[in-house]
């Protein structure tokens, strides 16, 4: 190699040693008779020193011409620094340079390559190859690397086999919108990029592979936000001859292993909650359980007192904010403004202050006596000094709005600490959800999810009440993975397709290969897929998955660095028999 050491490994024990370093110039400090250069590589920073009278004149002059991000090779001797820097591991030494070679000059970069940069996100994404030189970005990708290696190590030890599945597959009508790829050799026909390897991993179970996994790229052509990208990575897994408990136990083990090996954290307990309880107590199928503030239904104590807003509501819902009775009018008005935001959608907010002297002060004193408000406090298990916040309306809308208010209060009160991790399984989701626009059922997860055995008899009579043998893993209010026990019987799979509005012909055209496979000895099987990018961002304490992807797309689905997507030539379009609309 061109170098003998990296810029992060030399210490005082290396004093008097000859060394050759290669890297990028972080900064140059020229004091006239002495010139220092901070040389950076992936491993750290080492200071180079050039001194008039001691450094050869031509070498000193050469050093004065160095600029930021020049790539250089420096040969010299390790010496002890007079003014040490305790902020970097190499801060006790510097290199007295005897030879300098410029391997490549650099234009002045458009932003500073430092942890605290002056570059905005759009600029940094345009020059992502420069942004990746920054320690803060590289550390995120190093975290991703460690998680990838530890995932493979755990699953390999558990006898899972990594199998690659096709990237060019068939478009199916269920799920999100597909990315479509035209076929030149089959004019007028198209591949789709996989939203997941779902059917292929099930076919691997039919093939007898028993335990499969893959760190796989998936694609969805959907609206984007901080935790979505058009292409993303899954930890995709499937197991044969298992029941739900086997899958949950295996992947509790994986998550505990990742926390321990990557972050040094022991996850002692992984709780479980039904979908029905999650919606009733938190208004969300991915509740943040780092803090309490569970919903309390107040219909029986709040209705029938002449307050029409509550009397006409399907649901009156309260939460308790501990120690917040001293909130000012300004703070309470701010909470009211918050719940009235379009994304929350409540019409107003009722509050009750549980005063230190045992009395109550509310925004509805006109309708409720002290005894009435005391009943509210008792139901909410509130004590003097607490604040009750109450919303009302139809059931779904009120739960959704209260979920937003609860999370807002959790953030305001510092209860959503990113250094605390609460892991939760949410179980027993509805198998189907009714779509008013299309007037038919859709699969809440996907059409290959098995119903719970005890709900089989409801498939014909009450399909909306059937629960799925499905499970999601939630960490700190973020869904990081989901899966189910699959259907492995052709007859049940056909029945499922009928419930989803498929004719026999449509089901055969789209999924005939899978139903045919079920007739050749398909074992009971189930699995799970984790959103790997999302898992990485959670471990790293970030809100955006883009930070953990080397070359991400922006919110418009564009790669601004390579300017993609882009137009293609008319010749390419002609080869594909595609005519663009004019």
């Amino acid at each position: 190699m061109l170098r003998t050491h990296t810029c992060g490994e030399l210490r005082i024990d290396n004093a008097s040693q000859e060394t050759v370093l290669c890297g990028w110039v972080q900064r140059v400090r020229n004091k006239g008779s002495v010139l220092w250069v901070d040389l950076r590589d992936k491993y750290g920073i080492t200071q180079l020193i050039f001194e008039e009278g001691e450094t050869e004149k031509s070498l000193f002059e050469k050093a004065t011409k160095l600029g930021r991000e020049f790539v250089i090779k420096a040969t010299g001797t390790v010496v002890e620094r007079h003014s040490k820097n305790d902020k970097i591991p190499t801060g006790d030494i510097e290199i007295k340079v005897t030879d300098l070679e410029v391997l490549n000059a650099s234009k002045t970069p458009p932003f500073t390559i430092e942890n605290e940069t002056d570059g905005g996100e759009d600029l940094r994404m345009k020059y992502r190859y420069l942004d990746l030189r920054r320690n803060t970005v590289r550390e995120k990708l190093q975290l991703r690397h460690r998680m990838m290696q530890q995932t493979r190590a755990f699953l390999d030890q558990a006898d899972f086999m990594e199998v690659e599945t096709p990237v060019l597959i068939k478009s199916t009508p269920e799920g999100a919108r597909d990315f479509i790829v035209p076929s030149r050799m089959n004019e007028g026909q198209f591949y789709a990029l996989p939203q997941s390897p779902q059917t292929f991993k099930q076919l691997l179970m039919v093939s007898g592979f028993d335990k499969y996994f893959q760190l796989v790229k998936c694609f969805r052509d959907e609206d984007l936000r901080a935790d979505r990208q058009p292409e993303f990575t899954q930890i995709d897994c499937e197991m044969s001859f298992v029941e739900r408990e086997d899958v949950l136990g295996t992947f509790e083990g994986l998550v505990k292993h990742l926390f321990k090996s990557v972050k040094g954290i022991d996850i002692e307990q992984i709780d479980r909650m039904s979908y029905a309880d999650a919606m009733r107590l938190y208004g969300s199928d991915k509740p943040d359980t780092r803090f309490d503030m569970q919903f309390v239904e107040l219909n029986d104590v709040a209705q029938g007192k002449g307050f029409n807003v509550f009397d006409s509501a399907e649901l009156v819902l309260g939460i308790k904010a501990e120690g917040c009775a001293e909130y000012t009018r300004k703070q309470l008005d701010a909470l009211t403004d918050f719940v009235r935001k379009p994304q929350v959608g409540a019409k107003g907010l009722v509050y009750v202050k549980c005063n230190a002297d045992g009395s109550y002060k509310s925004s509805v004193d006109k309708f409720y006596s002290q005894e009435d408000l005391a009943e509210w406090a008792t139901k909410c298990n509130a004590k003097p000094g607490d604040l009750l916040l109450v919303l009302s309306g139809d059931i779904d809308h009120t739960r959704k709005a209260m979920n937003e208010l609860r999370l807002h209060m959790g953030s305001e009160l510092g209860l959503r600490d990113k250094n605390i991790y609460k892991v939760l399984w949410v179980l027993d989701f509805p198998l189907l959800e009714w779509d008013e626009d299309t007037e038919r059922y859709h699969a809440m997860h996907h059409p290959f999810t098995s119903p719970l055995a005890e709900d089989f008899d409801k498939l014909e009579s009450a399909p909306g009440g059937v629960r799925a043998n499905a499970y999601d893993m939630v960490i700190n209010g973020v869904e990081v993975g989901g899966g189910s026990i699959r259907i492995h019987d052709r007859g049940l799979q056909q029945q499922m397709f009928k419930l989803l509005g498929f004719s026999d012909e449509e089901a055969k055209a789209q999924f005939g290969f899978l139903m045919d496979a079920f007739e050749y000895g398909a074992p009971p099987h189930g699995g799970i897929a984790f959103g790997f990018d999302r898992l990485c961002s959670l471990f790293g304490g970030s809100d955006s998955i883009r930070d953990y992807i080397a070359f991400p797309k922006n919110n418009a689905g564009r790669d601004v660095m390579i300017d993609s997507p882009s137009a293609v030539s008319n010749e390419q379009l002609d080869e594909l028999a595609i005519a663009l609309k004019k």
Side-chain angles (χ1 to χ4, degrees), residues 353-402:
K353 291 184 175 183
C354 304
N355 296 323
D357 63 4
S359 66
Y360 300 94
K361 174 62 182 172
S362 81
S363 54
V364 288
D365 282 344
K366 178 180 176 181
F367 299 96
Y368 297 94
S369 67
Q370 289 289 296
E371 290 75 17
D372 293 332
L373 298 176
E375 285 190 290
W376 295 21
T378 299
K379 285 212 73 171
C380 294
N381 197 27
K383 60 185 184 300
D386 293 343
L387 175 68
L388 305 184
L389 300 171
V390 184
L391 298 176
S392 64
D394 67 73
I395 292 174
D396 292 342
H397 190 269
T398 304
R399 284 176 174 169
K400 176 183 177 296
M402 187 60 91

Side-chain angles (χ1 to χ4, degrees), residues 167-445:
V167 174
L168 296 175
I169 66 167
K170 183 174 188 171
S171 180
T172 58
E174 288 292 310
R177 190 179 293 111
D178 287 326
F179 280 102
I180 300 299
V181 181
S183 170
R184 179 183 60 82
M185 298 178 68
N186 300 276
E187 187 176 316
Q189 296 185 314
F190 299 84
Y191 301 106
L193 301 182
Q195 295 181 36
S196 99
Q198 181 63 44
T199 54
F200 289 102
K201 66 179 180 179
Q202 290 190 247
L203 290 170
L204 285 170
M205 297 304 102
V206 177
S207 304
F209 273 66
D210 195 67
K211 290 182 177 180
Y212 141 94
F213 87 98
Q214 187 179 186
L215 286 161
V216 59
K217 270 290 175 79
C218 301
F219 306 85
R220 290 180 188 171
D221 187 8
E222 58 187 358
D223 295 336
L224 305 178
R225 54 179 186 243
D227 63 345
R228 283 183 181 170
Q229 285 275 292
E231 53 180 308
F232 57 96
T233 303
Q234 284 186 181
I235 307 172
D236 198 62
C237 307
E238 199 79 3
M239 306 167 69
S240 289
F241 303 111
V242 291
E243 296 178 329
R244 181 170 76 182
E245 203 60 39
D246 303 305
V247 180
L248 299 188
T250 298
F251 292 100
E252 283 181 13
L254 171 62
V255 168
K256 288 180 178 180
H257 172 77
L258 290 176
F259 270 108
K260 182 64 175 177
S261 60
V262 176
K263 293 189 69 69
I265 294 174
D266 288 306
I267 299 295
E268 300 293 343
Q269 181 175 333
I270 296 180
D271 293 325
R272 299 183 183 187
M273 184 183 301
S274 71
Y275 170 87
D277 283 345
M279 298 305 295
R280 179 176 59 84
L281 297 173
Y282 298 97
S284 171
D285 60 2
K286 45 182 184 294
D288 186 344
T289 54
R290 282 174 292 181
F291 63 106
D292 190 10
M293 221 177 286
Q294 291 182 350
F295 297 177
V296 179
E297 295 182 9
L298 299 173
N299 292 51
D300 59 336
V301 294
Q303 291 181 322
K305 303 291 184 178
F307 184 45
N308 187 56
V309 173
F310 284 178
D311 290 346
S312 61
E314 270 190 286
L315 181 65
V316 182
L317 211 53
I319 58 172
K320 174 187 67 178
E322 289 188 7
C324 295
E326 298 301 318
Y327 261 37
T328 65
R329 185 55 185 256
K330 183 178 179 181
Q331 287 174 299
L332 292 167
D333 286 346
L335 290 179
T336 302
D337 291 340
F338 173 80
V339 301
R340 284 176 172 162
K341 287 182 176 180
Q343 58 267 42
V344 180
K347 292 180 179 178
L349 173 69
V350 169
Y351 69 84
V352 179
K353 291 184 175 183
C354 304
N355 296 323
D357 63 4
S359 66
Y360 300 94
K361 174 62 182 172
S362 81
S363 54
V364 288
D365 282 344
K366 178 180 176 181
F367 299 96
Y368 297 94
S369 67
Q370 289 289 296
E371 290 75 17
D372 293 332
L373 298 176
E375 285 190 290
W376 295 21
T378 299
K379 285 212 73 171
C380 294
N381 197 27
K383 60 185 184 300
D386 293 343
L387 175 68
L388 305 184
L389 300 171
V390 184
L391 298 176
S392 64
D394 67 73
I395 292 174
D396 292 342
H397 190 269
T398 304
R399 284 176 174 169
K400 176 183 177 296
M402 187 60 91
N403 171 54
E404 296 293 338
L405 178 58
R406 175 183 179 270
L407 294 176
H408 177 74
M409 289 301 296
S411 298
E412 290 283 302
L413 298 174
L415 302 175
R416 303 178 73 189
D417 187 343
K418 288 186 177 180
N419 296 311
I420 294 174
Y421 294 91
K422 289 289 187 179
V423 186
L424 172 74
W425 286 112
V426 179
L427 311 171
D428 300 343
F429 286 80
L431 181 69
L432 307 165
E433 51 188 346
W434 182 258
D435 187 299
E436 293 290 346
D437 295 332
T438 59
E439 295 187 338
R440 69 179 182 91
Y441 284 109
H442 289 267
M444 183 168 267
H445 279 73

Side-chain angles (χ1 to χ4, degrees), residues 510-526:
Q510 295 291 338
F511 301 108
F513 65 93
L514 183 65
M515 290 192 290
D516 287 347
F518 286 169
E519 294 188 305
Y520 290 93
H525 58 281

Side-chain angles (χ1 to χ4, degrees), residues 423-484:
V423 186
L424 172 74
W425 286 112
V426 179
L427 311 171
D428 300 343
F429 286 80
L431 181 69
L432 307 165
E433 51 188 346
W434 182 258
D435 187 299
E436 293 290 346
D437 295 332
T438 59
E439 295 187 338
R440 69 179 182 91
Y441 284 109
H442 289 267
M444 183 168 267
H445 279 73
H446 55 61
F448 315 109
T449 298
S450 176
L452 283 176
E454 55 265 40
D455 288 356
F456 276 10
D457 58 353
K458 296 180 184 176
L459 280 170
E460 293 296 338
S461 60
V466 177
R467 292 167 297 166
N469 201 351
Y471 33 84
D472 280 0
M473 179 173 279
V474 177
I475 303 178
N476 292 358
V478 177
E479 179 203 329
V480 297
S484 65

